[in-house]
Amino acid sequence: MSRSRSQASEHKYLTVRAYLADLVASELSVGDAVPSERSLTEKFGVSRMTVRQAIDALVTEGVLERAQGRGTFVAPPRADFEMRLTTFGEEARRRGMEPGTDVLEVGTAPAPASVAESLGRATGDPMHHVVRLRSADGSPMSVEEAWIPVDLAPDLLDDGVPESLYGALRERGLAPTWGEDTITASDATVQEQKLLGLRASRAVMRTVRRTFAGDAPLMYSRSSYRGDRYSVFVPLREARPTLVPRTGATDATSTPDPTPTDHLDPVPVPARATEGNDR
């Protein structure tokens, strides 16, 4: 193919993509079907391959989603992670959404080796253990598991699981001041697929977090977020001394950056913007 033909093909692809993106932004709502490939082919006088290329790009960006055997539809907005300390409920309500929580597990359990190591405790030490399914406007968003040493807050779960674990710890003089996250991506487990309502997409974004109160490890948590509803937003600043992410053994006496790194807490955002996560 000559360079001029290649450029013409790229221009047609961008024209179709721009048309669909504008349609989503100005006329269609979440769940609405976009025009069929045949109608787009006829409207723009392009090949079906060009139309598919434009649709594929918007599917990759999270603007559209395909339902096998049914067609292509406007996808729910993605929610971005932004690094800050906040709660899932606070972020959801700030964006006009109603947060929800289903407690899947709660109780006291001996600390597994990985949890104990991360919190500077001995394997088997008693821990408050909470597993929750978090939702926004009735849509499941994440599965969260948290471990907190019992001796830090013996009565933490006496009245059930508080709406916000961070808030409950603050009330006990254990305000979370900083934390560190490790973020990865992988396929969801069978249980996660069921809990999160995953069908076409099985990707989840996983975070492992250590939360601190001053220099003391306060909470260890693991979360799985729907890959089709989240992206990562990372504000940048000029280079300065910072913490080095750690995934194995950690030094409980490590001193944080003088300006604590705000922690990430995700929640769905109507306009494809930022998000926060309740602990």
Side-chain angles (χ1 to χ4, degrees):
M1 179 182 292
S2 68
R3 183 173 181 178
S4 59
R5 287 186 179 181
S6 176
Q7 290 175 333
S9 176
E10 180 179 357
H11 174 73
K12 291 177 180 179
Y13 145 76
L14 292 175
T15 298
V16 177
R17 179 186 174 284
Y19 168 76
L20 290 172
D22 183 66
L23 201 62
V24 170
S26 60
E27 296 184 29
L28 301 179
S29 300
V30 172
D32 286 349
V34 299
S36 67
E37 290 183 3
R38 175 179 295 180
S39 65
L40 291 170
T41 297
E42 295 173 352
K43 179 179 181 66
F44 291 96
V46 297
S47 68
R48 182 161 290 190
M49 182 178 296
T50 298
V51 169
R52 287 179 181 172
Q53 184 182 9
I55 292 175
D56 286 345
L58 293 174
V59 169
T60 299
E61 294 171 19
V63 177
L64 302 177
E65 62 182 2
R66 285 193 174 92
Q68 190 170 3
R70 295 177 53 229
T72 305
F73 303 86
V74 178
R78 282 183 182 270
D80 292 348
F81 281 114
E82 184 177 357
M83 308 303 285
R84 59 172 176 262
L85 274 168
T86 186
T87 70
F88 185 96
E90 289 169 351
E91 286 295 314
R93 293 189 182 95
R94 189 163 68 86
R95 292 175 171 83
M97 309 183 82
E98 185 62 32
T101 300
D102 290 325
V103 177
L104 305 179
E105 295 181 35
V106 60
T108 301
S114 60
V115 174
E117 190 174 44
S118 294
L119 293 176
R121 300 303 180 106
T123 299
D125 276 2
M127 297 276 169
H128 293 303
H129 181 223
V130 178
V131 182
R132 297 174 294 177
L133 175 66
R134 309 310 302 270
S135 62
D137 283 350
S139 177
M141 301 299 293
S142 68
V143 180
E144 301 175 354
E145 178 182 27
W147 301 80
I148 302 169
V150 169
D151 61 5
L152 291 181
D155 64 341
L156 182 66
L157 304 179
D158 283 359
D159 297 322
V161 179
E163 179 181 355
S164 167
L165 292 177
Y166 279 176
L169 290 170
R170 289 190 186 99
E171 292 172 358
R172 291 162 174 79
L174 297 168
T177 54
W178 65 285
E180 54 186 25
D181 275 1
T182 299
I183 303 175
T184 59
S186 66
D187 286 340
T189 65
V190 173
Q191 182 181 26
E192 287 169 339
Q193 290 180 51
K194 181 179 180 181
L195 291 172
L196 295 174
L198 297 175
R199 295 182 178 83
S201 172
R202 296 187 303 164
V204 293
M205 184 159 53
R206 302 187 186 279
T207 67
V208 175
R209 174 188 303 178
R210 290 199 313 158
T211 302
F212 291 78
D215 294 340
L218 182 63
M219 182 189 303
Y220 176 87
S221 57
R222 294 185 289 237
S223 302
S224 302
Y225 301 100
R226 291 182 56 156
D228 60 344
R229 299 296 301 275
Y230 287 91
S231 58
V232 179
F233 172 70
V234 183
L236 300 178
R237 64 183 181 187
E238 64 179 339
R240 59 184 296 184
T242 187
L243 292 169
V244 177
R246 291 156 292 185
T247 57
T250 54
D251 181 358
T253 63
S254 297
T255 302
D257 186 338
T259 302
T261 300
D262 282 350
H263 190 7
L264 180 60
D265 272 341
V267 167
V269 181
R272 304 182 189 281
T274 62
E275 199 146 33
N277 173 20
D278 177 358
R279 297 298 178 192

